[in-house]
Protein backbone atom coordinates (compact mmCIF):
# COMPACT_ATOMS: atom_id res chain seq x y z
CA UNK A 1 0.00 0.00 0.00
CA UNK A 2 1.31 3.41 -1.00
CA UNK A 3 1.82 5.48 2.09
CA UNK A 4 3.73 8.15 3.96
CA UNK A 5 4.60 7.05 7.50
CA UNK A 6 5.43 9.44 10.29
CA UNK A 7 6.76 8.58 13.73
CA UNK A 8 5.97 9.25 16.44
CA UNK A 9 2.29 10.15 16.08
CA UNK A 10 2.29 11.94 19.43
CA UNK A 11 5.11 13.35 21.54
CA UNK A 12 5.24 15.45 24.68
CA UNK A 13 8.67 16.73 25.57
CA UNK A 14 10.44 19.61 27.25
CA UNK A 15 12.14 22.72 26.00
CA UNK A 16 15.66 22.18 24.71
CA UNK A 17 15.57 18.41 24.39
CA UNK A 18 16.52 17.50 20.84
CA UNK A 19 13.99 15.42 18.95
CA UNK A 20 13.58 13.89 15.53
CA UNK A 21 10.36 13.12 13.71
CA UNK A 22 10.85 10.50 11.05
CA UNK A 23 9.09 10.37 7.71
CA UNK A 24 9.27 7.54 5.22
CA UNK A 25 7.51 7.00 1.90
CA UNK A 26 7.31 3.80 -0.14
CA UNK A 27 6.39 5.31 -3.50
CA UNK A 28 9.89 6.19 -4.72
CA UNK A 29 8.88 9.83 -4.80
CA UNK A 30 11.51 12.44 -5.49
CA UNK A 31 9.82 15.32 -3.71
CA UNK A 32 9.23 15.41 0.06
CA UNK A 33 8.12 18.17 2.33
CA UNK A 34 7.31 19.06 5.94
CA UNK A 35 4.42 21.26 7.06
CA UNK A 36 3.16 22.47 10.37
CA UNK A 37 -0.46 23.20 11.06
CA UNK A 38 -1.66 25.63 13.68
CA UNK A 39 -5.20 26.78 14.46
CA UNK A 40 -6.22 29.66 12.23
CA UNK A 41 -3.03 29.53 10.19
CA UNK A 42 -3.62 26.52 7.98
CA UNK A 43 -0.67 24.53 6.67
CA UNK A 44 2.69 26.20 6.43
CA UNK A 45 5.67 24.64 4.72
CA UNK A 46 8.82 24.21 6.81
CA UNK A 47 11.29 22.56 4.46
CA UNK A 48 11.16 20.64 1.23
CA UNK A 49 13.45 18.38 -0.73
CA UNK A 50 13.54 17.87 -4.47
CA UNK A 51 15.77 14.82 -4.26
CA UNK A 52 18.52 13.15 -2.24
CA UNK A 53 20.89 15.69 -0.70
CA UNK A 54 18.78 18.58 -2.05
CA UNK A 55 16.78 20.54 0.51
CA UNK A 56 15.46 24.08 0.73
CA UNK A 57 13.60 26.31 3.15
CA UNK A 58 9.88 26.78 3.07
CA UNK A 59 7.94 29.57 4.72
CA UNK A 60 8.75 28.80 8.36
CA UNK A 61 12.15 27.06 8.59
CA UNK A 62 13.45 28.74 11.77
CA UNK A 63 14.23 26.25 14.52
CA UNK A 64 14.12 23.21 12.25
CA UNK A 65 16.59 21.10 10.32
CA UNK A 66 16.10 18.38 7.76
CA UNK A 67 18.23 15.89 5.90
CA UNK A 68 17.68 13.74 2.83
CA UNK A 69 20.33 11.07 2.77
CA UNK A 70 18.03 8.47 1.23
CA UNK A 71 15.20 8.93 -1.23
CA UNK A 72 12.56 7.36 1.01
CA UNK A 73 13.37 9.17 4.27
CA UNK A 74 13.07 12.83 5.23
CA UNK A 75 13.48 13.36 8.98
CA UNK A 76 12.58 16.63 10.69
CA UNK A 77 14.97 17.64 13.45
CA UNK A 78 14.31 20.08 16.27
CA UNK A 79 17.71 20.72 17.80
CA UNK A 80 16.43 22.80 20.71
CA UNK A 81 12.63 22.68 20.75
CA UNK A 82 10.70 25.59 22.19
CA UNK A 83 7.02 25.90 23.17
CA UNK A 84 6.21 27.87 20.00
CA UNK A 85 6.98 24.71 18.05
CA UNK A 86 4.05 22.95 19.64
CA UNK A 87 2.01 22.04 16.60
CA UNK A 88 0.66 19.34 14.32
CA UNK A 89 3.24 18.31 11.75
CA UNK A 90 2.68 16.66 8.39
CA UNK A 91 5.11 15.06 6.01
CA UNK A 92 4.23 14.80 2.33
CA UNK A 93 5.71 13.35 -0.82
CA UNK A 94 5.03 13.46 -4.52
CA UNK A 95 6.52 12.36 -7.77
CA UNK A 96 8.70 15.33 -8.68
CA UNK A 97 7.24 18.69 -7.74
CA UNK A 98 3.59 19.56 -7.73
CA UNK A 99 4.15 22.07 -10.48
CA UNK A 100 4.69 19.12 -12.77
CA UNK A 101 1.18 17.93 -12.11
CA UNK A 102 1.62 15.40 -9.36
CA UNK A 103 -0.38 15.73 -6.12
CA UNK A 104 1.20 15.33 -2.72
CA UNK A 105 0.54 12.36 -0.47
CA UNK A 106 0.38 13.25 3.20
CA UNK A 107 1.16 11.28 6.32
CA UNK A 108 -1.26 11.05 9.23
CA UNK A 109 0.49 13.72 11.23
CA UNK A 110 2.62 14.06 14.35
CA UNK A 111 1.29 16.05 17.26
CA UNK A 112 4.16 17.64 19.20
CA UNK A 113 3.79 19.34 22.56
CA UNK A 114 6.81 21.22 23.86
CA UNK A 115 6.51 22.12 27.53
CA UNK B 1 5.06 33.48 -3.96
CA UNK B 2 1.54 32.93 -5.18
CA UNK B 3 -0.65 33.53 -2.12
CA UNK B 4 -4.24 32.42 -2.05
CA UNK B 5 -7.42 33.73 -0.49
CA UNK B 6 -10.47 31.63 0.31
CA UNK B 7 -13.61 32.12 2.38
CA UNK B 8 -13.00 31.06 5.95
CA UNK B 9 -16.16 29.02 6.21
CA UNK B 10 -19.26 27.93 4.31
CA UNK B 11 -22.45 26.14 5.23
CA UNK B 12 -24.51 23.95 2.97
CA UNK B 13 -27.23 21.33 3.13
CA UNK B 14 -27.11 17.75 2.00
CA UNK B 15 -27.78 17.31 -1.69
CA UNK B 16 -26.77 20.82 -2.67
CA UNK B 17 -23.95 21.81 -4.98
CA UNK B 18 -21.16 23.71 -3.23
CA UNK B 19 -18.78 26.10 -4.95
CA UNK B 20 -15.65 27.30 -3.15
CA UNK B 21 -13.63 30.04 -4.83
CA UNK B 22 -9.93 30.66 -4.34
CA UNK B 23 -8.18 33.86 -5.41
CA UNK B 24 -4.56 33.71 -6.53
CA UNK B 25 -3.78 37.01 -8.22
CA UNK B 26 -0.04 36.41 -8.44
CA UNK B 27 -0.17 32.98 -10.00
CA UNK B 28 2.86 32.28 -12.17
CA UNK B 29 3.00 30.74 -15.60
CA UNK B 30 4.24 27.36 -14.39
CA UNK B 31 1.91 27.09 -11.41
CA UNK B 32 -0.73 24.40 -11.07
CA UNK B 33 -3.80 24.77 -8.87
CA UNK B 34 -4.55 21.91 -6.54
CA UNK B 35 -7.33 21.36 -4.03
CA UNK B 36 -7.11 19.19 -0.95
CA UNK B 37 -9.62 18.01 1.61
CA UNK B 38 -8.75 17.56 5.27
CA UNK B 39 -10.70 15.87 8.03
CA UNK B 40 -9.79 16.49 11.69
CA UNK B 41 -6.59 14.78 12.82
CA UNK B 42 -5.85 13.51 9.33
CA UNK B 43 -3.47 14.60 6.62
CA UNK B 44 -4.84 16.48 3.62
CA UNK B 45 -6.14 14.35 0.78
CA UNK B 46 -5.86 15.27 -2.89
CA UNK B 47 -9.16 16.13 -4.59
CA UNK B 48 -8.42 17.67 -7.96
CA UNK B 49 -5.78 19.57 -9.89
CA UNK B 50 -5.79 21.79 -12.95
CA UNK B 51 -3.91 24.33 -14.99
CA UNK B 52 -6.62 26.05 -17.01
CA UNK B 53 -10.27 25.80 -18.14
CA UNK B 54 -12.21 22.94 -16.55
CA UNK B 55 -11.20 19.67 -14.98
CA UNK B 56 -13.64 17.04 -13.73
CA UNK B 57 -13.16 13.78 -11.88
CA UNK B 58 -15.43 11.45 -9.94
CA UNK B 59 -15.33 13.68 -6.87
CA UNK B 60 -15.38 17.30 -8.04
CA UNK B 61 -14.96 19.83 -10.82
CA UNK B 62 -12.45 22.63 -11.01
CA UNK B 63 -13.15 25.77 -13.01
CA UNK B 64 -10.27 28.08 -13.92
CA UNK B 65 -10.92 31.27 -15.93
CA UNK B 66 -8.63 32.38 -18.72
CA UNK B 67 -6.66 34.83 -16.56
CA UNK B 68 -6.09 32.07 -13.94
CA UNK B 69 -6.32 34.59 -11.11
CA UNK B 70 -8.95 32.50 -9.39
CA UNK B 71 -10.36 29.00 -9.37
CA UNK B 72 -13.59 27.41 -8.18
CA UNK B 73 -13.94 23.98 -6.66
CA UNK B 74 -17.39 22.55 -7.28
CA UNK B 75 -18.71 19.67 -5.19
CA UNK B 76 -21.92 18.21 -6.61
CA UNK B 77 -24.64 17.05 -4.22
CA UNK B 78 -22.68 17.18 -0.97
CA UNK B 79 -23.30 14.79 1.90
CA UNK B 80 -22.56 15.02 5.62
CA UNK B 81 -19.24 13.24 5.03
CA UNK B 82 -18.06 16.17 2.90
CA UNK B 83 -17.80 18.28 6.05
CA UNK B 84 -14.11 19.15 6.11
CA UNK B 85 -11.58 21.88 5.48
CA UNK B 86 -10.76 22.50 1.82
CA UNK B 87 -7.41 23.95 0.83
CA UNK B 88 -6.46 25.67 -2.37
CA UNK B 89 -2.80 25.21 -3.22
CA UNK B 90 -0.83 26.98 -5.91
CA UNK B 91 2.52 25.51 -6.85
CA UNK B 92 5.31 28.06 -7.05
CA UNK B 93 8.27 27.15 -9.20
CA UNK B 94 11.37 28.83 -7.81
CA UNK B 95 14.40 29.26 -10.02
CA UNK B 96 13.15 26.46 -12.26
CA UNK B 97 14.41 24.01 -9.67
CA UNK B 98 13.13 24.20 -6.17
CA UNK B 99 9.47 24.40 -5.35
CA UNK B 100 7.83 26.18 -2.47
CA UNK B 101 4.14 25.50 -2.05
CA UNK B 102 1.79 27.76 -0.19
CA UNK B 103 -1.48 26.53 1.21
CA UNK B 104 -4.33 28.95 1.52
CA UNK B 105 -5.99 29.38 4.91
CA UNK B 106 -8.58 26.81 3.97
CA UNK B 107 -12.36 26.88 3.85
CA UNK B 108 -14.25 25.04 6.56
CA UNK B 109 -17.29 23.51 4.89
CA UNK B 110 -20.11 22.39 7.15
CA UNK B 111 -22.78 20.24 5.55
CA UNK B 112 -26.03 20.21 7.48
CA UNK B 113 -28.77 17.59 7.30
Amino acid sequence: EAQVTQNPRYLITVTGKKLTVTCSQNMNHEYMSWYRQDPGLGLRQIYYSMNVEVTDKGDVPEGYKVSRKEKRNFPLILESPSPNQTSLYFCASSQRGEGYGQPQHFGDGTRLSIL
Amino acid sequence: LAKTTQPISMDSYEGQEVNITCSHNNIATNDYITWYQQFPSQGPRFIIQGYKTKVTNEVASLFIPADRKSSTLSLPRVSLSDTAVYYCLVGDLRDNYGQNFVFGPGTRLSVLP
Side-chain angles (χ1 to χ4, degrees):
Chain A
E1 179 188 350
Q3 58 185 3
V4 177
T5 304
Q6 298 178 225
N7 281 297
R9 293 291 314 279
Y10 304 91
L11 178 63
I12 300 174
T13 187
V14 296
T15 299
K17 185 176 181 182
K18 180 180 178 180
L19 68 91
T20 299
V21 184
T22 63
C23 174
S24 179
Q25 49 94 3
N26 63 359
M27 296 165 280
N28 201 35
H29 284 167
E30 295 177 359
Y31 178 88
M32 297 187 74
S33 177
W34 275 103
Y35 296 87
R36 62 176 289 173
Q37 185 170 36
D38 303 290
L41 297 176
L43 281 143
R44 295 180 292 169
Q45 192 176 49
I46 303 171
Y47 269 94
Y48 62 92
S49 169
M50 290 296 292
N51 213 325
V52 176
E53 302 292 359
V54 180
T55 63
D56 206 349
K57 297 177 181 178
D59 282 336
V60 288
E62 293 77 22
Y64 304 95
K65 286 175 58 177
V66 292
S67 68
R68 188 90 182 272
K69 295 191 171 90
E70 305 165 281
K71 197 171 186 178
R72 65 181 292 127
N73 296 322
F74 190 45
L76 179 69
I77 303 157
L78 285 71
E79 293 270 3
S80 183
S82 62
N84 64 11
Q85 293 177 296
T86 292
S87 186
L88 178 60
Y89 292 84
F90 289 102
C91 180
S93 74
S94 70
Q95 184 57 39
R96 304 193 69 180
E98 189 156 332
Y100 297 101
Q102 298 299 320
Q104 296 185 63
H105 298 256
F106 284 80
D108 288 332
T110 296
R111 189 168 292 280
L112 285 183
S113 294
I114 315 293
L115 305 178
Chain B
L1 292 175
K3 299 291 185 180
T4 60
T5 303
Q6 303 172 235
I8 295 298
S9 64
M10 295 180 69
D11 291 335
S12 181
Y13 291 96
E14 279 191 295
Q16 289 187 331
E17 178 184 73
V18 171
N19 295 310
I20 306 174
T21 296
C22 179
S23 297
H24 27 79
N25 291 320
N26 297 323
I27 189 168
T29 302
N30 291 329
D31 286 346
Y32 276 75
I33 300 156
T34 310
W35 285 80
Y36 289 84
Q37 175 191 57
Q38 185 180 27
F39 299 112
S41 299
Q42 293 185 24
R45 185 174 70 100
F46 170 79
I47 301 176
I48 197 166
Q49 184 176 66
Y51 184 80
K52 61 180 178 180
T53 63
K54 177 183 174 182
V55 180
T56 297
N57 62 21
E58 65 278 5
V59 177
S61 294
L62 178 60
F63 299 92
I64 305 169
D67 65 6
R68 303 202 325 127
K69 291 181 185 288
S70 67
S71 59
T72 298
L73 174 72
S74 181
L75 304 172
R77 301 182 59 80
V78 295
S79 65
L80 296 176
S81 62
D82 291 317
T83 294
V85 178
Y86 293 82
Y87 288 95
C88 169
L89 176 63
V90 177
D92 177 22
L93 191 63
R94 176 182 292 179
D95 297 327
N96 294 317
Y97 181 70
Q99 301 214 8
N100 179 292
F101 301 115
V102 180
F103 274 80
T107 298
R108 186 173 299 276
L109 173 65
S110 297
V111 180
L112 308 172

